[in-house]
Amino acid sequence: MLKTRLHKNFDTGDFKVGATTLKQLLWYFTDLLFFKSRVMPFSSVLVALLRLFGAKIGKDVRIKPGIHIKYPWKLEIGNYSWLADCYIENLERVIIGENCCISQQAVLITGNHNFSSTNFNLMVAPIILEEGAWIGATAKVCPGVTLCSHAVLTMGSVATQTLMAYSIYQGNPAVKIKDRVIKS
């Protein structure tokens, strides 16, 4: 029977960081000083810093202190979206549409390891949140998942596959529990 052989230099396949070592280093310290430290309460400053590092961010976006973003140059956020102190481990692109909400301590992970490989190879896939999607507090979104328009992932749930439009999902793994009806 084969066994896993973990090595520091595991196979990363086609993965590319997408930035120079200097840019990564500058982001590390900027992230530490302004984002992780929570000393910067102004969303406009956090948005400006993310844009400076290559994030594509629309207008009137709210970013809360304490947010974790691995690579801002792989992040796209549409107009009027809100991001609380969530965790975005974006080894691959994370695309957040307009009017989306990512609640407190939600986790978006675009990378994983191949547990069936002896080398534990890296696998990455993008995450897409279409317009009006909402990720509840402490919910988790796995690599390659799309939340279609106005889908909701409830608090503490885990999305392992595409969530259909105007649907509410709950559990681990998340399953549809009902339609999302939006009233005026």
Side-chain angles (χ1 to χ4, degrees):
M1 182 173 278
L2 291 176
K3 296 181 181 182
T4 301
R5 302 281 185 228
L6 299 180
H7 301 282
K8 180 179 178 184
N9 295 320
F10 58 88
D11 183 5
T12 59
D14 295 340
F15 172 72
K16 301 277 188 270
V17 171
T20 65
T21 302
L22 178 61
K23 187 174 184 176
Q24 292 175 64
L25 191 61
L26 289 171
W27 170 246
Y28 175 82
F29 288 107
T30 301
D31 184 36
L32 199 61
L33 287 170
F34 293 98
F35 291 81
K36 287 189 175 80
S37 72
R38 298 177 182 261
V39 298
M40 177 51 62
F42 304 110
S43 179
S44 58
V45 173
L46 299 176
V47 166
L49 287 168
L50 288 169
R51 284 182 179 139
L52 184 67
F53 280 91
K56 295 177 182 146
I57 302 177
K59 62 182 177 184
D60 291 331
V61 169
R62 300 288 175 249
I63 305 282
K64 296 292 184 178
I67 191 171
H68 168 84
I69 298 168
K70 180 76 171 179
Y71 299 135
W73 48 90
K74 293 186 177 190
L75 180 65
E76 192 174 317
I77 306 171
N79 300 329
Y80 314 111
S81 289
W82 298 354
L83 283 71
D85 58 335
C86 57
Y87 189 93
I88 301 175
E89 188 73 11
N90 58 332
L91 301 176
E92 183 56 76
R93 297 213 53 82
V94 169
I95 301 169
I96 300 166
E98 292 188 0
N99 299 295
C100 291
C101 179
I102 304 176
S103 300
Q104 296 82 356
Q105 281 93 51
V107 177
L108 285 71
I109 302 276
T110 61
N112 201 351
H113 293 276
N114 184 351
F115 58 80
S116 64
S117 165
T118 58
N119 297 334
F120 221 49
N121 302 335
L122 179 66
M123 304 179 311
V124 295
I127 292 174
I128 300 169
L129 278 61
E130 294 180 357
E131 181 180 2
W134 179 12
I135 300 174
T138 71
K140 294 168 180 54
V141 181
C142 295
V145 169
T146 296
L147 274 74
C148 294
S149 178
H150 295 84
V152 175
L153 181 63
T154 63
M155 185 165 75
S157 297
V158 179
T160 59
Q161 60 187 2
T162 295
L163 306 187
M164 301 312 297
Y166 288 92
S167 298
I168 300 173
Y169 286 78
Q170 184 176 49
N172 180 7
V175 295
K176 182 178 176 179
I177 58 168
K178 63 183 173 179
D179 291 332
R180 180 180 185 186
V181 178
I182 300 174
K183 300 174 183 175
S184 61

